[in-house]
Amino acid sequence: MREEKGAWQAAQILHRLAGAYGDPHWWPADSALEVLVGAVLTQSVRWQNVVTAIQRLKAYGPLSEAGLGQMPWPQLTACLRPTRFPNQKAKRLRALLEMIADGRGRTLADFFAADLDHRQALLSVSGVGAETADAILLYAGRSQAFPVDAYTRRIAQRLVGNVVPDHQLRHDTLSQVSSVDGLAQLHGLLVVHGQRHCQARPHCSGCPLAEICVSAELGQTA
Ligand code: SF4
């Protein structure tokens, strides 16, 4: 595999991170609907808080589109309290479920089976940005998408030596990694890498990407 510094080499990064960390088994969820719920709840909050909120929802009743749609508001916001902004998250979740239902009880599986621009439909919901939409598309819809999150931005900036716009990261990744499994693994591996090595203050010793990292080469990692 060709090694080149100063460019976002998604396939090379996937290869190196998978070799170092193995399969991250990301996104952790029991169903596509749970992925969608987690993708909405994780905005601006630690993942452990999302896990707690989903456990509360499951304790209330089995996760289903209709169940979440009809859950009384006080109970819904009480379950989502660990996510810091329970009212805002509940509104977003309800709006997303309403778009999916489309006034005729459509399920998430029906939504993905429908002939429409799924990314555009998800982005049309207030509060659903590109990262959330792409996470839902990739992990719930099992379609080609790449969520660009804060970990990915930080790692890309250090590897390349410049800020890389989100749209370019998405485009370059999708043009280099074609399989859904590869894309799913890559996003999860970047999360792991951002937590273990490329933190706010990077730990470059032993980093599996050091050989292709411009910041490491220039000594700009302190
Ligand atoms: S070498 Fe350092 S800055 Fe570069 S990717 Fe690894 S941890 Fe991040």
Side-chain angles (χ1 to χ4, degrees):
M1 202 171 286
R2 197 163 70 96
E3 294 176 7
E4 177 193 335
K5 291 195 181 83
W8 177 248
Q9 305 173 73
Q12 172 71 226
I13 293 163
L14 171 59
H15 176 72
R16 284 173 172 270
L17 294 183
Y21 304 126
D23 188 342
H25 300 293
W26 198 258
W27 186 290
D30 292 335
S31 67
L33 182 61
E34 188 174 323
V35 170
L36 178 144
V37 173
V40 171
L41 300 188
T42 198
Q43 296 168 344
S44 314
V45 72
R46 289 175 57 232
W47 181 253
Q48 192 48 48
N49 298 52
V50 175
V51 171
T52 305
I54 290 176
Q55 283 169 346
R56 288 188 182 201
L57 288 171
K58 284 178 164 177
Y60 187 84
L63 280 191
S64 71
E65 291 86 341
L68 287 171
Q70 291 160 12
M71 197 168 167
W73 189 259
Q75 278 84 348
L76 179 59
T77 52
C79 289
L80 303 192
R81 198 163 295 138
T83 67
R84 287 181 62 200
F85 310 104
N87 279 294
Q88 183 193 72
K89 302 272 172 89
K91 275 185 198 155
R92 283 181 188 168
L93 189 54
R94 278 275 164 85
L96 197 46
L97 291 168
E98 277 170 22
M99 183 279 289
I100 286 163
D102 196 28
R104 49 198 161 124
R106 203 165 58 171
T107 64
L108 185 55
D110 297 332
F111 168 74
F112 283 123
D115 182 18
L116 52 86
D117 184 335
H118 298 102
R119 190 170 196 266
Q120 212 44 53
L122 291 167
L123 288 172
S124 72
V125 177
S126 174
V128 174
E131 181 186 336
T132 305
D134 287 327
I136 293 168
L137 287 170
L138 178 58
Y139 293 101
R142 301 288 302 161
S143 50
Q144 277 191 319
F146 181 67
V148 176
D149 65 0
Y151 291 120
T152 304
R153 283 184 205 106
R154 183 167 73 204
I155 294 166
Q157 180 172 354
R158 288 173 177 164
L159 287 178
V160 172
N162 279 307
V163 173
V164 187
D166 287 6
H167 67 86
Q168 191 182 331
L169 279 172
R170 257 194 311 279
H171 172 271
D172 291 355
T173 301
L174 292 173
S175 63
Q176 294 173 47
V177 180
S178 54
S179 82
V180 168
D181 284 344
L183 291 162
Q185 227 186 7
L186 177 59
H187 174 66
L189 286 165
L190 288 165
V191 172
V192 173
H193 187 60
Q195 292 172 342
R196 293 198 196 166
H197 269 287
C198 209
Q199 301 166 1
R201 188 182 178 87
H203 299 283
C204 302
S205 174
C207 171
L209 302 182
E211 287 176 20
I212 57 169
C213 180
V214 165
S215 296
E217 183 180 61
L218 297 177
Q220 295 175 341
T221 52

